[in-house]
Amino acid sequence: MFVPCHRGGSSAASDFKGFTLLMPAVSVGNVGQLAIDLVISTLDMTKVGYFYTDCLVPMVGNNPYATAEENSTELSINAEVYSLPSKKLVVLQIRSPFIKNKYRPFCETLLSWVKSSRCARVVVLSSSHAYQRDDEQLLGTPLRYLLTPDLEKAVGGLMQELKWKEMEKVAAYPGINDTDKVLHIPGGGITKLLFTESCSKGIQMAVLLKFCSEGDNIPDAFVLINYLNEWLQLVKSEVNTSSQWKIPSSWRLLFGNGLPPALF
């Protein structure tokens, strides 16, 4: 459940009527989480609370978006909520993997919060294994989107104008029955479950994902966040480039650099 912190004020931090909720799926390469980092850091979003759940592996660390020594010792946990009222944007950042068999309870709790907080729509940033694409998915862009029926009515035309490519359904039994198609997102974590549950509950949700492989996934995060920016225009620019996004200080630790002294 959502627990507001004093910084945002309990009443202001619990009602997100008309806001867009942006969140990652814990998926291959952690691409969604890296992209969310860029949003929070670039827009200098304020932490307004935590998402308390037993569905994620517990963790604690120092402030991943520290800009000075004064705020580097602030603690962060596995699921935190950030807000930017001027853009009607609220962000849920997830920093640890899910505990086995906890996908469904998390989705139920999250979607219940979405309804109670009166968010207008949810945008999930995700990724999927590049090596498990079918022949059709090998063509063109590695970026895909999905819209629930309720959101399709509102923004489906815009996606067509942007010439975005919808995530293809694949044969449920390849080579046996190619006419029976299903949604398949290998490596996508909670993405498929969250999307299908939102469809059945009438929640407006979009999934934006990129096909990728494990490794240095920072370039994938920039591609995904620029893809999102084509739609939501979080930062204004004529051409989407990586230079318009502010890299958070925590990214210095991604590949085994020493722990910051402030942590101790």
Side-chain angles (χ1 to χ4, degrees), residues 62-100:
N62 63 324
N63 182 5
Y65 313 115
T67 55
E69 186 175 347
E70 290 74 24
N71 64 3
S72 63
T73 55
E74 294 178 7
L75 295 181
S76 294
I77 61 171
N78 54 8
E80 296 184 321
V81 179
Y82 298 78
S83 177
L84 187 62
S86 63
K87 289 186 177 291
K88 288 280 187 177
L89 183 68
V90 57
V91 170
L92 169 64
Q93 176 62 302
I94 301 174
R95 298 192 178 97
S96 68
F98 285 87
I99 294 172
K100 188 177 181 180

Side-chain angles (χ1 to χ4, degrees), residues 61-239:
N62 63 324
N63 182 5
Y65 313 115
T67 55
E69 186 175 347
E70 290 74 24
N71 64 3
S72 63
T73 55
E74 294 178 7
L75 295 181
S76 294
I77 61 171
N78 54 8
E80 296 184 321
V81 179
Y82 298 78
S83 177
L84 187 62
S86 63
K87 289 186 177 291
K88 288 280 187 177
L89 183 68
V90 57
V91 170
L92 169 64
Q93 176 62 302
I94 301 174
R95 298 192 178 97
S96 68
F98 285 87
I99 294 172
K100 188 177 181 180
N101 299 324
K102 289 288 189 175
Y103 277 11
R104 188 168 294 278
F106 179 84
C107 289
E108 291 173 354
T109 303
L110 175 70
L111 296 180
S112 176
W113 174 55
V114 168
K115 287 192 171 184
S116 65
S117 63
R118 302 192 289 176
C119 288
R121 60 188 176 186
V122 183
V123 180
V124 179
L125 301 184
S126 184
S127 51
S128 183
H129 284 301
Y131 75 89
Q132 289 193 249
R133 289 173 291 177
D134 68 4
D135 290 346
E136 187 179 0
Q137 292 171 339
L138 287 168
L139 301 175
T141 176
L143 296 161
R144 295 291 189 276
Y145 79 92
L146 288 165
L147 299 176
T148 59
D150 288 80
L151 187 56
E152 174 76 39
K153 298 172 185 176
V155 302
L158 175 60
M159 301 310 184
Q160 298 299 320
E161 292 178 18
L162 293 172
K163 297 182 179 179
W164 281 13
K165 196 167 185 178
E166 190 172 4
M167 183 68 172
E168 302 88 347
K169 291 187 176 181
V170 300
Y173 306 101
I176 300 175
N177 181 4
D178 292 337
T179 60
D180 190 10
K181 302 277 188 175
V182 296
L183 182 63
H184 187 49
I185 310 177
I190 65 169
T191 306
K192 181 179 176 180
L193 178 60
L194 197 55
F195 179 75
T196 54
E197 286 294 304
S198 296
C199 288
S200 65
K201 294 180 185 297
I203 291 174
Q204 294 193 18
M205 176 177 285
V207 173
L208 276 56
L209 66 84
K210 185 180 185 298
F211 294 117
C212 66
S213 302
E214 292 279 5
D216 180 358
N217 295 101
I218 289 176
D220 297 305
F222 279 116
V223 171
L224 185 60
I225 199 62
N226 284 329
Y227 186 53
L228 172 71
N229 199 52
E230 287 181 33
W231 172 24
L232 295 186
Q233 294 292 297
L234 298 176
V235 296
K236 298 293 184 181
S237 65
E238 295 181 2
V239 180

